[in-house]
Amino acid sequence: MTLCFASLGSGSEGNGLLVQHQSTLILVDCGFSLVETERRLNRLGVTRQDLQGILVTHEHSDHMSGVAGLARQAQCPVYGSFGTLEPLLEELGSKACIIRDEESFSIGSLTIHPYAVPHDSREPLQFVITDGDKRLGILTDTGSITPHIEQSLSGCHALLLETNYDPDLLDRGPYPPALKARVRGNFGHLSNEAAAQLLHRLDHPNLRWIVAAHISRKNNTPQLACEALTRVLSHAPERLLLATHDTGLEWLTP
Ligand SMILES: [Zn+2]
Ligand SMILES: [Zn+2]
């Protein structure tokens, strides 16, 4: 049995990604209330008691607001950089596990490789997760693409990739100028086009699934995000799927 993954939901209102291999189940980020998290876990056929760990990419509320409550209920460890977990250290106690850029670690039968990204939070990390055979690359909440990101995500069999905004919709949209500048900045979010350029460089015959994620409701549309990524997919554009705010994404196996 190979690794599989599913999304509880993706976007500025809350994120959560389940990754499972054999009896190991982990959750990457939890930006939902406890009740909402339970509801979304149940929809995907699991419960909080099944979780062996929670990884946190960074402290923004759409990724971390539900983490402490869920960890308490699930009685499982929480993994994140010192900068990310610092506000929760007291509450988590011995359940807090500090991880670092480039230092791989294991939870059950999964190996997690954290890598640093440029984003306006204290010490953000994103992850590549593998069962030793298939590799799932996760990238959301990055303002730009660095050589470190590209190298970390090479050779993945599935990619969850931020397509946050369309530049024209952002320009014409309702955000105040300072927030527009933040989103567009090198430590903000990834545009459809920047994600497409990265995908173009990462695409290879064994890349089975590409999931467009963290799509802004106000500054993007799922259609624009998909069009941008489809343009660079030389073959089998049906490999492209969406992780949405409301319903996330069903289980996939790379
Ligand atoms: Zn976010
Ligand atoms: Zn963020």
Side-chain angles (χ1 to χ4, degrees):
M1 188 181 137
T2 186
L3 131 170
C4 54
F5 64 100
S7 169
L8 302 191
S10 178
S12 56
E13 290 144 49
N15 294 274
L17 183 76
L18 287 168
V19 184
Q20 183 163 37
H21 178 244
Q22 295 171 353
S23 61
T24 303
L25 178 70
I26 61 176
L27 179 64
V28 181
D29 289 332
C30 186
F32 304 104
S33 70
L34 200 52
V35 171
E36 189 59 24
T37 302
E38 291 273 355
R39 195 178 70 77
R40 290 175 186 241
L41 287 172
N42 292 343
R43 187 174 55 75
L44 291 164
V46 299
T47 69
R48 63 178 187 233
Q49 285 84 8
D50 300 323
L51 290 172
Q52 267 107 69
I54 304 169
L55 313 182
V56 193
T57 56
H58 64 299
E59 73 277 12
H60 288 161
S61 62
D62 55 322
H63 300 264
M64 197 163 87
S65 65
V67 166
L70 180 64
R72 199 182 321 116
Q73 295 285 330
Q75 288 290 306
C76 70
V78 177
Y79 300 79
S81 68
F82 178 81
T84 297
L85 292 192
E86 194 272 336
L88 299 183
L89 284 179
E90 201 168 317
E91 191 171 355
L92 291 174
S94 63
K95 294 263 183 290
C97 303
I98 302 298
I99 58 173
R100 292 173 194 84
D101 178 35
E102 291 288 283
E103 290 187 11
S104 296
F105 60 97
S106 294
I107 304 174
S109 58
L110 291 170
T111 301
I112 295 106
H113 181 78
Y115 66 97
V117 297
H119 187 56
D120 52 4
S121 54
R122 283 185 291 255
E123 197 185 349
L125 296 172
Q126 294 286 326
F127 304 109
V128 174
I129 301 176
T130 178
D131 59 2
D133 178 27
K134 302 295 192 217
R135 279 162 63 82
L136 164 66
I138 302 165
L139 177 65
T140 68
D141 297 73
T142 187
S144 38
I145 299 301
T146 62
H148 185 47
I149 291 176
E150 194 174 330
Q151 187 183 29
S152 301
L153 291 175
S154 67
C156 283
H157 301 88
L159 277 176
L160 182 112
L161 196 55
E162 169 169 50
T163 44
N164 184 259
Y165 69 95
D166 171 82
D168 291 334
L169 287 187
L170 179 65
D171 278 347
R172 286 188 269 125
Y175 280 13
L179 187 52
K180 288 181 182 179
R182 190 222 137 200
V183 170
R184 195 187 292 122
N186 284 339
F187 294 84
H189 287 279
L190 211 57
S191 70
N192 295 340
E193 198 48 47
Q197 284 170 17
L198 175 67
L199 178 60
H200 179 62
R201 295 195 295 272
L202 291 174
D203 196 13
H204 63 93
N206 292 326
L207 177 55
R208 177 148 181 222
W209 295 119
I210 300 116
V211 180
H214 215 301
I215 299 171
S216 171
R217 277 197 208 268
K218 296 202 169 79
N219 308 313
N220 207 356
T221 66
Q223 192 187 346
L224 285 171
C226 284
E227 281 171 8
L229 298 185
T230 304
R231 275 196 289 273
V232 302
L233 288 177
S234 52
H235 66 287
E238 67 275 9
R239 295 179 290 158
L240 179 61
L241 297 169
L242 287 172
T244 62
H245 290 81
D246 297 327
T247 55
L249 176 76
E250 287 298 317
W251 287 104
L252 288 178
T253 299

mmCIF file with all atom_site columns, all heavy atoms in Angstrom, residues 49 73 136 235:
data_model
loop_
_atom_site.group_PDB
_atom_site.id
_atom_site.type_symbol
_atom_site.label_atom_id
_atom_site.label_alt_id
_atom_site.label_comp_id
_atom_site.label_asym_id
_atom_site.label_entity_id
_atom_site.label_seq_id
_atom_site.pdbx_PDB_ins_code
_atom_site.Cartn_x
_atom_site.Cartn_y
_atom_site.Cartn_z
_atom_site.occupancy
_atom_site.B_iso_or_equiv
_atom_site.pdbx_formal_charge
_atom_site.auth_seq_id
_atom_site.auth_comp_id
_atom_site.auth_asym_id
_atom_site.auth_atom_id
_atom_site.pdbx_PDB_model_num
ATOM 1  N N   . GLN A 1 49  ? -8.906  10.528 16.710  1.00 0.00 ? 49  GLN A N   1
ATOM 2  C CA  . GLN A 1 49  ? -8.155  9.483  17.425  1.00 0.00 ? 49  GLN A CA  1
ATOM 3  C C   . GLN A 1 49  ? -7.198  8.739  16.499  1.00 0.00 ? 49  GLN A C   1
ATOM 4  O O   . GLN A 1 49  ? -6.263  8.096  16.968  1.00 0.00 ? 49  GLN A O   1
ATOM 5  C CB  . GLN A 1 49  ? -9.095  8.468  18.086  1.00 0.00 ? 49  GLN A CB  1
ATOM 6  C CG  . GLN A 1 49  ? -9.786  8.971  19.341  1.00 0.00 ? 49  GLN A CG  1
ATOM 7  C CD  . GLN A 1 49  ? -11.048 9.768  19.034  1.00 0.00 ? 49  GLN A CD  1
ATOM 8  O OE1 . GLN A 1 49  ? -11.487 9.832  17.893  1.00 0.00 ? 49  GLN A OE1 1
ATOM 9  N NE2 . GLN A 1 49  ? -11.606 10.409 20.059  1.00 0.00 ? 49  GLN A NE2 1
ATOM 10 N N   . GLN A 1 73  ? -7.216  17.095 22.180  1.00 0.00 ? 73  GLN A N   1
ATOM 11 C CA  . GLN A 1 73  ? -8.244  16.055 22.038  1.00 0.00 ? 73  GLN A CA  1
ATOM 12 C C   . GLN A 1 73  ? -7.670  14.756 21.484  1.00 0.00 ? 73  GLN A C   1
ATOM 13 O O   . GLN A 1 73  ? -8.057  13.670 21.908  1.00 0.00 ? 73  GLN A O   1
ATOM 14 C CB  . GLN A 1 73  ? -9.351  16.551 21.099  1.00 0.00 ? 73  GLN A CB  1
ATOM 15 C CG  . GLN A 1 73  ? -10.126 17.740 21.622  1.00 0.00 ? 73  GLN A CG  1
ATOM 16 C CD  . GLN A 1 73  ? -11.104 17.363 22.717  1.00 0.00 ? 73  GLN A CD  1
ATOM 17 O OE1 . GLN A 1 73  ? -11.607 16.255 22.726  1.00 0.00 ? 73  GLN A OE1 1
ATOM 18 N NE2 . GLN A 1 73  ? -11.355 18.269 23.645  1.00 0.00 ? 73  GLN A NE2 1
ATOM 19 N N   . LEU A 1 136 ? 5.208   13.078 -1.888  1.00 0.00 ? 136 LEU A N   1
ATOM 20 C CA  . LEU A 1 136 ? 4.193   14.133 -1.970  1.00 0.00 ? 136 LEU A CA  1
ATOM 21 C C   . LEU A 1 136 ? 4.848   15.455 -1.579  1.00 0.00 ? 136 LEU A C   1
ATOM 22 O O   . LEU A 1 136 ? 5.380   15.577 -0.469  1.00 0.00 ? 136 LEU A O   1
ATOM 23 C CB  . LEU A 1 136 ? 3.033   13.819 -1.012  1.00 0.00 ? 136 LEU A CB  1
ATOM 24 C CG  . LEU A 1 136 ? 2.085   14.976 -0.687  1.00 0.00 ? 136 LEU A CG  1
ATOM 25 C CD1 . LEU A 1 136 ? 1.310   15.427 -1.921  1.00 0.00 ? 136 LEU A CD1 1
ATOM 26 C CD2 . LEU A 1 136 ? 1.108   14.566 0.423   1.00 0.00 ? 136 LEU A CD2 1
ATOM 27 N N   . HIS A 1 235 ? 1.285   17.100 -21.142 1.00 0.00 ? 235 HIS A N   1
ATOM 28 C CA  . HIS A 1 235 ? 0.437   15.953 -21.409 1.00 0.00 ? 235 HIS A CA  1
ATOM 29 C C   . HIS A 1 235 ? -0.483  15.704 -20.209 1.00 0.00 ? 235 HIS A C   1
ATOM 30 O O   . HIS A 1 235 ? -0.218  16.159 -19.106 1.00 0.00 ? 235 HIS A O   1
ATOM 31 C CB  . HIS A 1 235 ? 1.274   14.705 -21.696 1.00 0.00 ? 235 HIS A CB  1
ATOM 32 C CG  . HIS A 1 235 ? 2.064   14.241 -20.500 1.00 0.00 ? 235 HIS A CG  1
ATOM 33 N ND1 . HIS A 1 235 ? 3.167   14.909 -20.031 1.00 0.00 ? 235 HIS A ND1 1
ATOM 34 C CD2 . HIS A 1 235 ? 1.872   13.202 -19.666 1.00 0.00 ? 235 HIS A CD2 1
ATOM 35 C CE1 . HIS A 1 235 ? 3.634   14.281 -18.969 1.00 0.00 ? 235 HIS A CE1 1
ATOM 36 N NE2 . HIS A 1 235 ? 2.868   13.243 -18.720 1.00 0.00 ? 235 HIS A NE2 1
#
